[in-house]
Amino acid sequence: MYDVVRQTDPEIAGILEAELGRQRTQLEMIASENFTSRAVLETMGSVLTNKYAEGYPGKRYYGGCVHVDEAEMLAKRRACKLFGADRAMVQPHSGSTANMTAYLAFCKPGDKILGLSLSHGGHLTHGHPVNFSGLFFEAVHYEVEPGHETIDYDKMREQAKRERPRILVGGASAYPRTWDYEAMKSIADEVGAVFIFDMAHIAGLVAGGVHPSPVPFADVVTSTTHKTLRGPRGGVIVCKKEHLKAINKMNFPGIQGGPLMHMIAAKAVCFLECLQPEFKTYAQQTLDNAQVLASALLDKGFKLASGGTDNHLLLVNCKPKGLNGKEMEELLESVSITCNKNTVPFDEESPFVTSGVRLGTPALTTRGMGADEMRKIADIMDRAVASRDDENALVILRGEAEEMGKAFPLYPEF
Ligand SMILES: *Cc1c(COP(=O)(O)O)cnc(C)c1O
């Protein structure tokens, strides 16, 4: 693998090899990560990267766009089919720029947006003060409720009536429950707001038909393509017909320059893969695995935010086990399980320490793991916590985790 790069740049070739090795060895439980197909990888590494194509199919600012036009049209058609959407815009470089495009298509700097607070599971781009969304707009936030740690839509309605935001944002990076899209649409309508739903995390589950879809309810739906959707790193927007013009215009010339045509073609490949029956099976297994992992962890006395999960991720509150999130992340890394520390609702620790970790099943499910492996992972976690000061015990646990991973080869052809 990487023979050509090695001839030109042995340093980078070494890094690529080492990263492939790491991805193969560790158990990847970062909820936002996944492993793309070889078809997606090959398309990302294609000659389409050489092409400038500012504008949209049939209306470009450059010549020679005949083939990239076809790729972008395919990606758009497939995205619409996959999500049952009126229209799609497939140029966002990332989930963040997709959100920037969606916001600026409907409001001006200084306008008010209402989204889920970061510390309760929302994303930086939902109005956090250090992010463009908090810098450009007047951001206000809803939170989950103490106790059940889910969203109270009556409270959201009261807050929306008080604040009268221009945009109501739904979606999250660390919220393990389903959403009441219908309630959010009615809240948005009642206060004259646009309802934007950011399904970055759950898009693959929605595509696989195992999680309710926001598309029939939201005015605009933004997403990443690289999380549960398992495609190239990038963004996509689907929307009602009447909004496409504003979305297109804000993406280009508003925010981005030339689209990444190799990534757009790879998104088309991803959408085609998601339209296959096998993807439905994958999405269901991802969900089932999260359920099994959740109940196995609860059995072992771990505490989960909201008590469980409806999707592909869980938020584990580590405090009852005597660890903070940072310590748990490091402990799990020492036994070859990769995850990220994460605040839990009403966390008393700082975002650099946190009380929890976020665990997701999308990547391990892609490797073919099922219920038995999830129970084994819960067991390894439990034993790692119990023997966290015993270096020898941790080495044994690491061996067990890596051995289990070896039975599910990643990119065996490479
Ligand atoms: C991951 C994520 C994003 C940002 O995606 P990037 O591609 O990392 O910019 C936006 N919104 C939500 C809810 C996310 O989870």
Side-chain angles (χ1 to χ4, degrees):
M1 201 50 193
Y2 308 122
D3 295 340
V4 181
V5 181
R6 178 157 291 106
Q7 283 178 18
T8 309
D9 187 339
E11 282 173 291
I12 285 293
I15 290 168
L16 298 182
E17 286 285 1
E19 174 60 12
L20 176 60
R22 187 195 66 79
Q23 290 185 15
R24 282 173 167 162
T25 307
Q26 297 184 335
L27 299 181
E28 186 53 72
M29 301 204 74
I30 294 176
S32 50
E33 294 194 10
N34 215 326
F35 302 114
T36 65
S37 69
R38 289 183 66 200
V40 167
L41 282 181
E42 199 169 296
T43 311
M44 284 194 279
S46 70
V47 295
L48 267 57
T49 192
N50 299 330
K51 190 73 200 96
Y52 244 112
E54 279 178 358
Y56 293 96
K59 287 170 285 189
R60 305 282 193 188
Y61 290 82
Y62 291 83
C65 286
V66 51
H67 303 300
V68 295
D69 272 10
E70 284 173 24
E72 185 164 344
M73 290 303 294
L74 264 181
K76 285 161 74 83
R77 268 205 303 278
R78 288 172 182 170
C80 288
K81 188 167 174 203
L82 186 61
F83 295 114
D86 290 353
R87 295 289 186 271
M89 198 280 282
V90 295
Q91 292 192 2
H93 298 336
S94 69
S96 296
T97 61
N99 283 343
M100 189 187 276
T101 291
Y103 299 163
L104 284 166
F106 294 102
C107 63
K108 288 189 281 300
D111 283 353
K112 197 181 272 185
I113 64 172
L114 173 60
L116 179 61
S117 115
L118 179 74
S119 59
H120 285 229
H123 190 257
L124 278 167
T125 56
H126 296 186
H128 194 274
V130 301
N131 181 260
F132 82 86
S133 55
L135 296 166
F136 292 1
F137 307 110
E138 187 189 342
V140 283
H141 291 105
Y142 52 90
E143 297 190 336
V144 302
E145 291 302 300
H148 52 77
E149 298 176 324
T150 59
I151 294 162
D152 179 330
Y153 294 89
D154 293 330
K155 274 205 173 163
M156 187 193 286
R157 187 181 301 273
E158 289 316 307
Q159 190 180 10
K161 279 158 82 172
R162 225 170 31 243
E163 300 284 359
R164 308 212 58 96
R166 179 77 189 101
I167 291 176
L168 176 62
V169 188
S173 302
Y175 185 64
R177 296 301 181 178
T178 50
W179 292 74
D180 190 342
Y181 307 124
E182 205 173 346
M184 291 192 77
K185 176 62 179 158
S186 105
I187 293 166
D189 284 349
E190 190 173 342
V191 303
V194 177
F195 176 25
I196 296 178
F197 194 89
D198 175 356
M199 65 171 178
H201 258 268
I202 55 174
L205 305 179
V206 170
V210 302
H211 189 283
S213 171
V215 174
F217 301 96
D219 296 296
V220 175
V221 175
T222 60
S223 184
T224 58
T225 48
H226 51 273
K227 296 179 182 173
T228 49
L229 212 51
R230 214 163 60 175
R233 190 163 292 281
V236 61
I237 297 176
V238 296
C239 63
K240 304 270 184 268
K241 193 171 147 208
E242 61 268 31
H243 299 315
L244 184 71
K245 212 171 155 190
I247 295 284
N248 277 350
K249 208 172 142 206
M250 189 45 67
N251 173 72
F252 173 84
I255 292 166
Q256 294 187 171
L260 312 176
M261 294 314 306
H262 54 310
M263 303 306 276
I264 289 170
K267 287 173 200 175
V269 175
C270 156
F271 299 148
L272 183 67
E273 290 175 349
C274 293
L275 283 161
Q276 307 309 310
E278 298 79 39
F279 192 79
K280 216 175 170 53
T281 311
Y282 163 70
Q284 185 64 55
Q285 189 65 53
T286 300
L287 210 64
D288 293 348
N289 282 349
Q291 290 294 329
V292 172
L293 183 64
S295 61
L297 288 172
L298 289 170
D299 284 348
K300 294 188 183 303
F302 284 90
K303 187 164 173 260
L304 303 180
S306 84
T309 181
D310 300 325
N311 58 28
H312 62 294
L313 68 84
L314 1 161
L315 260 186
V316 185
N317 186 334
C318 310
K319 280 301 173 76
K321 292 282 185 185
L323 286 86
N324 62 40
K326 185 169 181 283
E327 290 162 342
M328 184 66 115
E329 181 191 303
E330 286 163 4
L331 178 66
L332 291 180
E333 178 130 27
S334 77
V335 296
S336 267
I337 296 173
T338 321
C339 68
N340 62 283
K341 62 177 180 286
N342 212 106
T343 53
V344 297
F346 311 102
D347 210 318
E348 284 165 5
E349 302 285 357
S350 80
F352 303 102
V353 176
T354 79
S355 297
V357 291
R358 188 183 63 161
L359 298 178
T361 54
L364 292 184
T365 307
T366 294
R367 286 185 73 166
M369 292 187 192
D372 288 346
E373 288 73 34
M374 297 305 119
R375 282 188 281 266
K376 174 90 185 161
I377 285 168
D379 185 55
I380 291 174
M381 281 177 64
D382 188 45
R383 285 153 63 208
V385 169
S387 44
R388 61 180 178 271
D389 300 319
D390 180 346
E391 194 49 50
N392 292 333
L394 292 177
V395 169
I396 290 167
L397 286 172
R398 173 145 115 208
E400 285 183 31
E402 293 183 359
E403 203 51 46
M404 189 177 92
K406 279 198 191 122
F408 299 88
L410 177 66
Y411 300 125
E413 311 83 354
F414 288 175

